[in-house]
C-alpha cells in the first residue's frame, strides 16, 4: 500500500511570533521555519507502518513556496521515499489545499493519507476533514493509535473526556494527534542520503486547481498583555472585585 | 555512551566547523579555487545564522575580495553608516568626543554598513551552496578525530541520549565527517578549538587570550525617531574607571535599532553583573531618547576575543587550521571581527587549496605565511596596544593613550604591551569587592533576565546530559560560593546559574542549580570561572538560541 503524507512549512515552535507593524500578518522574514510538529508525527507513523511491512511506499507532499523543499527533505530524511512540491506563491487556504491533495490522490492512488490534525501557524484543523469530504473517504481524526489489518484501520481518537475507537474501511484519511508517537530525529547520514531521493515540483495548474484565496484577512493583532494579578484579603473582597471590576458575577 | 562502532562515516576533502563569516568565507573561497573539492560545513545552530550574534557595523574589504559583485547578488548590506558619534558618559551627562575621525580614526565608519550579521551569514550560506558546498545546520561537531598524530575530521554528537547518559528510544549515533583538512571556525572560545590548543600546544609563547562579553537587544522604534545610518558608541558610566567596556547603538533596516553593551571579562569586582549594567545604561538620556516608545524584539549574548595580535596562537596543525574568532582575529578598538574573520577564512582556503593540489601534506603550513603577508596582519599590528593600554591605564588613560597612539605613533610604537593575566585570574573576592546596587526593571525600557532570555528563542531538548559540566563539583561550594558568592549567577546573561538554598538555615547548604536549557552559547562561563572549573560542551545539535532576522 502506498501512503501519502502532506507536510507544511510553518514558523518553528520555538520562535516567539511577532505581528507585522502594519497588522497585515505575522512576521516571517528571517524567521526560522520548520515542519509542522503534527506533520512530523504523521511522517513518523507512515515510516513505522512501512517498517512493519504494512506499507510499501511513502510519498511526502508539500504545498507552498520554494523553501518547502527543505521541509520535504526532512520528511525524506525521516524515511519517506519520494516527494512532490506543489509550488505556490503563498500558503493556500485549507479548501484549496484539500482540492490539490484530492488531485494528487487521484494521481498517486494511495491507500491512506496520514496528515497532521492541524498546523500550528493558523490552527485551522480543517484540511483533513475537507479532503475526506471531497474524496468521500472515511476519516479518523485526532488519532493517538493506528492499527491496520485486512483493509481496515482501527483508529483510537482523542475526544473530549476520553478515547473513542473507530474502524475505517480503507482507503481513509488519518489525522495525527500529539500522542500518536514520538518522531525520530532526521539523522545526519539520512539527511545526506535524502539529498539523492527524488523530489518533483509541479504547479497547481498541472492539477487543475485554482488556489485563489477566498478569505480576506482584515487585521492581525497580538493578544492583549496579561494583567498582573492582585492578592485579595478576604472572600468578601474577592466577590466584590469579581462583581465590580471583572464583571463576571 | 558513545557509539563509536555503529557510527557512519563520510569522506570529504575539507570539513569546516561553524557557519559563521569565517567558515563560510573559507568554504566559498575553496570552491572558487578548487571547484572539484568536496567541502562540508557543520553548524550547531538549527539553521545558518541562528547562533550568530554581533553588532554589527561591518567593513566590506574582505567581502569585496571574495564576492566582488555582492551588491548585484543581493547581499543584505542595506544601511550605509552615515553618522558617527562617540560619547563619554557621566551618570547624567554625555560629552561628545570631538574630531572623532582624527582622535580615534578606528572609530570612523565611513564606507561601512550596518547589518544583521545573521542575515549576512544566511546569504553567504546560499552563495556557498550555489557553489556546491554541503551545509548541515543542526549538527554540532562534538569530538575531534585524532588519529596518527593528526586531526582526521570531526564527529557530530549522538542524539537522543537521556539526561542520565543512557540511550533513549530515539537514540541516533553521531556521524564521522572525515577530511584531509578540517578548518575550525567556531568563533570566540570554540569548544573544539580549546581542545586543539591543548592537544598541539598552539598557545606556546603567546599571551593569554582576553575576552569581552557582549549583550544585545534588538528594538523596533517609531519611524519618527529612526535615523538609519546613525552609529553611536559610549564609554564611561555606568562602569568604573578600572573596567573596560561601553555601549553601541545603531539605527538600521526598517525602524530597527541594535543596542548593546560590551564589558571586558578582565573585570575584577565579583558583584558586577554585565546584564544589569546593560539594562541600567538604557536609562541614561543618551540611550533612552532612542529607545523610548519602541518595542524590544530580541535578545542575546556572545563573548568576543579581545587579545588582538599578542594572543593569536599558532594557526595550523597537522590536519587543519583555526579561523576567525577561534584564532582571535578581532580588531579590538574597532570592535570589528567580521572582515578579519572572513579574510582569515579566505587565506586558510587558499593555503588548503594549494595543499590539496600539491601532495596533500599533513599541515597546511602556508596559511601562517599568507596571514602575515596580508592586510589582516598589518591592520591588527597597528592597533595592538590599544586594548592593553586600557587594562594598564584605566578608561581615561587608555582613551588618551589610544589617541596618542593613533595620531602621533600611527600604530607604529616600538613597544608591544602584553596581556599578563587570563580573565579568570583577576576576579576579586566578595569581601574585597564593593557591592553594586542595580535598579529594578520597569518592564518598558529595562527588563529582568528571564523575560530577556525568552526573546532569544533558545531551547534545548530537555532530556539530554547537561552540557555545562563542573570538572570538580565540590569546588563550587569552597571557591565559587565561599570566596566569590557565585559570580556565574551574575555574569551569565541567560540565568543558567542559580545559587539556591543560600539562607543560613538551609540544611543542604548553598548549592548550584544549572538551568542548562536557557543557555545562549555565549561561552562566558567557560572563560570567567575563577578556577576554570566550568566546561562548556556542545549540547545536542540544533539546541541553543534561534536569533531571528534583524539580530
Ligand atoms: C557583541 C558583539 C558585537 C560585535 N560587533 C561587531 C561589529 O560591529 N562589526 C564587526 O565586524 N564585528 C563585530 N563583532 C565581531 C564579529 O561578530 C565576529 O568577529 C565574527 O562573527 C567572527 O566570525 P567567526 O566566523 O569567526 O565566528 P562566529 O561568528 O562566532 O561563528 C561561529 C559559528 O560556528 C558555530 N559553531 C561553533 N562551535 C561549533 C561546533 N563545535 N560545531 C558546529 N558549529 C559550531 C556557531 O554556532 C556559529 O554559527 C562583534 C561581536 C560581538 C560578540
Ligand atoms: S551558561 Fe555559560 S555559555 Fe551559556 S549563557 Fe550562561 S554564561 Fe553563556
Amino acid at each position: 500500500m502506498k501512503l501519502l503524507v502532506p507536510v507544511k512549512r510553518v514558523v518553528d515552535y520555538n520562535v516567539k511570533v511577532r505581528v507585522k507593524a502594519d497588522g497585515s500578518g505575522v512576521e516571517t522574514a528571517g524567521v526560522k521555519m520548520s515542519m509542522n510538529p503534527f506533520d512530523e508525527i504523521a511522517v513518523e507513523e507512515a515510516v513505522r507502518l512501512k517498517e512493519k511491512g504494512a506499507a510499501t511506499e511513502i510519498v511526502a507532499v508539500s504545498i507552498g513556496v520554494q523553501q518547502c523543499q527543505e521541509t520535504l527533505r526532512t520528511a525524506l530524511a525521516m524515511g519517506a521515499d519520494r516527494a512532490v512540491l506543489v509550488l505556490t506563491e503563498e500558503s493556500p487556504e485549507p479548501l484549496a489545499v484539500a482540492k490539490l491533495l484530492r488531485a494528487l490522490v487521484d494521481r498517486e492512488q494511495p491507500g491512506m493519507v496520514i496528515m497532521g490534525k492541524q498546523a500550528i501557524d493558523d490552527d485551522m484543523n480543517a484540511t483533513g476533514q475537507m479532503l475526506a469530504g471531497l474524496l468521500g473517504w472515511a476519516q479518523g481524526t485526532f488519532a493517538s493509535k493506528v492499527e491496520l489489518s485486512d483493509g481496515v484501520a482501527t483508529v483510537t481518537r482523542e475526544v473530549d473526556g476520553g478515547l473513542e475507537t473507530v474502524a475505517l474501511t480503507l482507503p481513509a484519511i488519518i489525522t495525527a494527534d500529539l500522542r500518536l508517537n514520538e518522531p525520530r530525529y532526521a539523522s545526519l547520514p539520512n539527511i545526506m542520503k535524502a539529498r539523492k531521493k527524488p523530489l518533483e515540483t509541479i504547479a497547481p495548474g498541472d492539477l487543475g486547481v485554482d488556489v485563489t484565496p477566498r478569505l480576506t484577512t482584515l487585521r492581525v493583532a497580538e493578544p492583549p498583555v496579561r494583567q498582573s494579578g492582585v492578592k485579595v484579603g478576604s472572600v468578601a473582597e474577592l466577590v466584590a472585585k469579581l462583581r465590580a471590576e471583572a464583571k463576571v458575577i | 555512551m558513545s557509539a563509536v562502532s555503529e557510527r557512519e562515516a563520510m569522506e570529504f576533502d575539507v570539513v569546516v566547523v561553524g557557519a559563521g563569516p569565517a567558515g563560510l568565507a573559507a568554504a566559498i573561497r575553496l570552491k572558487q579555487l578548487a571547484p572539484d573539492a568536496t567541502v562540508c560545513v557543520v553548524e550547531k545552530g538549527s539553521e545558518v545564522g541562528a547562533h550568530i550574534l554581533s553588532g554589527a557595523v561591518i567593513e566590506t574589504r574582505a567581502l569585496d575580495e571574495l564576492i566582488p559583485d555582492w551588491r548585484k547578488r543581493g547581499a543584505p548590506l542595506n544601511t550605509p553608516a552615515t553618522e558617527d558619534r562617540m560619547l563619554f558618559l557621566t551618570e547624567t551627562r554625555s560629552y561628545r568626543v570631538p574630531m572623532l575621525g582624527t582622535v580615534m580614526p578606528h572609530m570612523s565608519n565611513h564606507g561601512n554598513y550596518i547589518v544583521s550579521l545573521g542575515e549576512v551569514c544566511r546569504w553567504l550560506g546560499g552563495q556557498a551552496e550555489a557553489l556546491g558546498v554541503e551545509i548541515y545546520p543542526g549538527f554540532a561537531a562534538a569530538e575531534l578525530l585524532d588519529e596518527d598524530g593528526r586531526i582526521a575530521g570531526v564527529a557530530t554528537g549522538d542524539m537522543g541520549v537521556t539526561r542520565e547518559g543512557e540511550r533513549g528510544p530515539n537514540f541516533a549515533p553521531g556521524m564521522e565527517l572525515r577530511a584531509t583538512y578540517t578548518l575550525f571556525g567556531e568563533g570566540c572560545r570554540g569548544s573544539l578549538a580549546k581542545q586543539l590548543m591543548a592537544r598541539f600546544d598552539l598557545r606556546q609563547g603567546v599571551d593569554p587570550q582576553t575576552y569581552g562579553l557582549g549583550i544585545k537587544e534588538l528594538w523596533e522604534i517609531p519611524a519618527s525617531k529612526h535615523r538609519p545610518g546613525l552609529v553611536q558608541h559610549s564609554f564611561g558610566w555606568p562602569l568604573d574607571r578600572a573596567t573596560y567596556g561601553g555601549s553601541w547603538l545603531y539605527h538600521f533596516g526598517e525602524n530597527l535599532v541594535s543596542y548593546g553593551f560590551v564589558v571586558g571579562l578582565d573585570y575584577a569586582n565579583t558583584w558586577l553583573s554585565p546584564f544589569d549594567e546593560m539594562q541600567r545604561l538604557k536609562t541614561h538620556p543618551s540611550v533612552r531618547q532612542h529607545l523610548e516608545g519602541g518595542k524590544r524584539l530580541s535578545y542575546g549574548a556572545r563573548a568576543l576575543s579581545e587579545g588582538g595580535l599578542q594572543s593569536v596562537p599558532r594557526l595550523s596543525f597537522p590536519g587543519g587550521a583555526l579561523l576567525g574568532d577561534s584564532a582571535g582575529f578581532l580588531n579590538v578598538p574597532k570592535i570589528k571581527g567580521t572582515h578579519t574573520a572572513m579574510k582569515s577564512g579566505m587565506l586558510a582556503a587558499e593555503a588548503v587549496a594549494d595543499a590539496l593540489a600539491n601532495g596533500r601534506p599533513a599541515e597546511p603550513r602556508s596559511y601562517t605565511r599568507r596571514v602575515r603577508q596580508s592586510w589582516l596582519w598589518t591592520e591588527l599590528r597597528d592597533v595592538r596596544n590599544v586594548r592593553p593600554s586600557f587594562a594598564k591605564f584605566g578608561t581615561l588613560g587608555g582613551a588618551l593613550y589610544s589617541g596618542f597612539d593613533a595620531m602621533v605613533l600611527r600604530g607604529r610604537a616600538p613597544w608591544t604591551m602584553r596581556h599578563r593575566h587570563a580573565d579568570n585570574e583577576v576576579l576579586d573576592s566578595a569581601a574585597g569587592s564593593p557591592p553594586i546596587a542595580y535598579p529594578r526593571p520597569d518592564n518598558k525600557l529595562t527588563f529582568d533576565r528571564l523575560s530577556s532570555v525568552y526573546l532569544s528563542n533558545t531551547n534545548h531538548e530537555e532530556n539530554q546530559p547537561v552540557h555545562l559540566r563542573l570538572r570538580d563539583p565540590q569546588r563550587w561550594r569552597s571557591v565559587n560560593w565561599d570566596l566569590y558568592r557565585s559570580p556565574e549567577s551574575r555574569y551569565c546573561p541567560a540565568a543558567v546559574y542559580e545559587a539556591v538554598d543560600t539562607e543560613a538555615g538551609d540544611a543542604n547548604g548553598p548549592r548550584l542549580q544549572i538551568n542548562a536549557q536557557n543557555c545562549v552559547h555565549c561561552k562566558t562561563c567557560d572563560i570567567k570561572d575563577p578556577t576554570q572549573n566550568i566546561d562548556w560542551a556542545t549540547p545536542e545539535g540544533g539546541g541553543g538560541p534561534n536569533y531571528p532576522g534583524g539580530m
Side-chain angles (χ1 to χ4, degrees), chain B residues 229-271:
Chain B
L230 175 63
V231 171
Q232 173 176 304
H233 290 106
S234 79
F235 63 113
W237 189 84
L239 294 176
D240 64 33
R241 291 191 175 184
T243 310
Y244 182 78
S247 77
W248 80 82
L249 190 146
Y250 308 146
H251 287 234
F252 74 113
E254 282 192 32
N255 301 325
L256 296 178
V257 170
S258 162
Y259 162 75
F261 183 76
V262 177
V263 61
L265 285 177
D266 58 350
Y267 72 82
N269 186 334
T270 188
W271 299 113

Side-chain angles (χ1 to χ4, degrees), chain A residues 12-16 18 21 29-33 182-189 191-193 195 222, chain B residues 8 10 12 46-47 134-136 139 156 159-160 170 175 177 220 295 297 454 457 459 540 546 548-549:
Chain A
D12 187 84
Y13 69 97
N14 284 312
V15 172
K16 280 65 187 184
R18 177 162 72 86
V31 170
K32 177 173 157 44
M33 311 289 282
E182 196 184 321
R184 69 194 64 195
Y185 293 96
S187 73
L188 187 49
I191 290 177
M192 291 182 174
K193 286 168 202 153
R195 289 185 167 225
E222 293 200 1
Chain B
E8 290 190 50
M10 185 90 175
F12 297 90
S46 64
E47 58 175 10
E134 294 179 36
I135 306 183
Y136 298 105
F139 295 93
T156 62
M159 313 275 261
N170 276 333
M175 181 178 190
L177 301 167
E220 184 176 51
K295 182 176 174 201
L297 303 181
Y454 178 77
N457 297 327
N459 187 40
E540 194 168 271
N546 285 290

Side-chain angles (χ1 to χ4, degrees), chain B residues 412-436:
Chain B
R412 301 289 150 82
W415 56 82
T416 295
M417 294 188 198
R418 319 248 41 128
H419 303 290
R420 306 216 178 271
H421 302 284
D423 293 335
N424 64 299
E425 298 169 350
V426 294
L427 198 64
D428 287 339
S429 68
S433 298
I436 309 176

Side-chain angles (χ1 to χ4, degrees), chain A residues 80-91:
Chain A
D81 298 289
R82 59 188 176 86
V84 181
L85 169 63
V86 183
L87 188 63
T88 61
E89 270 165 35
E90 44 192 58
S91 188

